[in-house]
Amino acid sequence: MKYEMKLPPGVPGQVMAEVLEKLDLEVKQTEYGPMLYGEKEVLENAQDIIINGLNERIKELENKK
């Protein structure tokens, strides 16, 4: 069974490229914004990659101060 996962605002394109390169997912544009579409386990892996990517970006911005 396939599921949808809404993308949070502010996900860098580089992180999205990594997700789509590594995982078998589709991106769908909806009236509520972009969503990833795929198997539950794969979406969970995508979520981990996105969270790690956002955390790295936050660390980069904190170090620029």
Side-chain angles (χ1 to χ4, degrees):
M1 183 171 185
K2 294 200 174 190
Y3 295 88
E4 292 180 338
M5 181 177 79
K6 186 173 185 217
L7 292 172
V11 176
Q14 190 173 9
V15 173
M16 281 307 304
E18 180 182 353
V19 167
L20 296 175
E21 182 180 304
K22 290 182 176 181
L23 305 173
D24 182 29
L25 292 171
E26 295 176 48
V27 178
K28 291 185 176 184
Q29 185 62 42
T30 69
E31 62 185 80
Y32 305 107
M35 292 197 178
L36 294 175
Y37 184 72
E39 299 292 329
K40 183 178 178 184
E41 297 80 20
V42 179
L43 289 172
E44 289 171 348
N45 291 337
Q47 185 178 29
D48 291 340
I49 293 171
I50 291 169
I51 290 170
N52 289 336
L54 290 173
N55 285 334
E56 286 178 21
R57 181 66 180 142
I58 289 168
K59 287 179 187 175
E60 288 174 13
L61 293 173
E62 287 177 342
N63 290 335
K64 287 186 178 183
K65 290 182 180 180

